[in-house]
Amino acid sequence: MIIPRVTGFICSLSGEGQLMINIVVVGATLSYALQSMSDLLLKRNFADLHRPYNAPGGQRLHTSH
């Protein structure tokens, strides 16, 4: 948590507002991509695990080993 804050502070001092926006967009994109990949891996590797909530269309992701 310290590294993004320091990077953002340095960018704000240098007047590189566009760089800050690019960092945020890349970070958000990576976050969503990793969340999607982890969801698919969990559903594939632990298909029979009890889940209190099922996502709509979740049965299409179910694969048998």
Side-chain angles (χ1 to χ4, degrees):
M1 291 178 63
I2 294 172
I3 293 172
R5 289 180 183 177
V6 170
T7 305
F9 181 71
I10 291 170
C11 290
S12 69
L13 290 178
S14 67
E16 294 289 331
Q18 186 64 37
L19 179 60
M20 288 176 55
I21 292 172
N22 289 340
I23 290 171
V24 169
V25 169
V26 168
T29 303
L30 286 174
S31 174
Y32 284 120
L34 291 174
Q35 288 176 15
S36 297
M37 185 171 45
S38 68
D39 182 52
L40 292 173
L41 289 173
L42 284 172
K43 284 195 177 269
R44 187 185 73 189
N45 295 335
F46 300 101
D48 297 332
L49 191 65
H50 171 72
R51 291 176 177 83
Y53 174 78
N54 290 324
Q59 294 299 323
R60 286 183 265 168
L61 295 175
H62 180 71
T63 59
S64 59
H65 292 276

